[in-house]
């Protein structure tokens, strides 16, 4: 048996054993608090948004809509909630 074959079987076994983690649907972590560590005095860097090329604009909008529907992304109204630490999606 080749090494690649055994690795493939090992990966397949992990995917089967933990299918709830590696399924098609995204999961939600419950009961865990995330912590972001920043250097003291860190400030957001000013970045300018880049326009999406017109030929792929429809595909980008469709993907963003799909991610919002699956609760992976959350739309934010920047006129209500100021965003200090975010970058535009490219």
């Amino acid at each position: 048996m080749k090494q690649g074959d055994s690795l493939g079987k090992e990966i397949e076994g992990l995917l089967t054993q933990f299918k709830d983690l590696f399924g098609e649907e995204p999961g939600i972590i419950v009961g865990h608090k995330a912590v972001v560590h920043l250097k003291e005095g860190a400030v957001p860097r000013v970045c300018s948004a880049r326009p999406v090329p017109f030929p792929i604009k429809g595909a980008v909008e469709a993907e963003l809509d799909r991610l919002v529907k699956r609760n992976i992304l959350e739309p934010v109204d920047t006129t209500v909630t100021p965003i200090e630490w975010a970058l535009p999606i490219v």
Side-chain angles (χ1 to χ4, degrees):
M1 181 183 299
K2 296 181 183 176
Q3 182 180 359
D5 291 340
S6 64
L7 180 61
K9 289 185 183 212
E10 184 178 350
I11 291 171
E12 188 67 35
L14 290 171
L15 293 174
T16 302
Q17 183 179 357
F18 300 105
K19 61 184 170 192
D20 54 328
L21 296 176
F22 296 107
E24 292 295 319
E25 293 298 315
I28 297 174
I29 298 174
V30 178
H32 181 78
K33 185 175 180 180
V35 178
V36 178
H37 299 277
L38 300 173
K39 290 183 179 181
E40 192 171 323
V43 294
R45 190 172 68 155
V46 177
C47 294
S48 58
R50 298 178 187 174
V52 174
F54 186 75
I56 64 168
K57 187 174 181 180
V60 170
E61 289 175 350
E63 178 64 5
L64 290 173
D65 289 341
R66 183 185 75 81
L67 295 172
V68 168
K69 286 178 185 171
R70 294 183 75 184
N71 292 321
I72 295 170
L73 294 180
E74 179 179 322
V76 176
D77 184 352
T78 56
T79 61
V80 176
T81 307
I83 305 298
E84 296 179 19
W85 288 88
L87 293 174
I89 297 175
V90 178

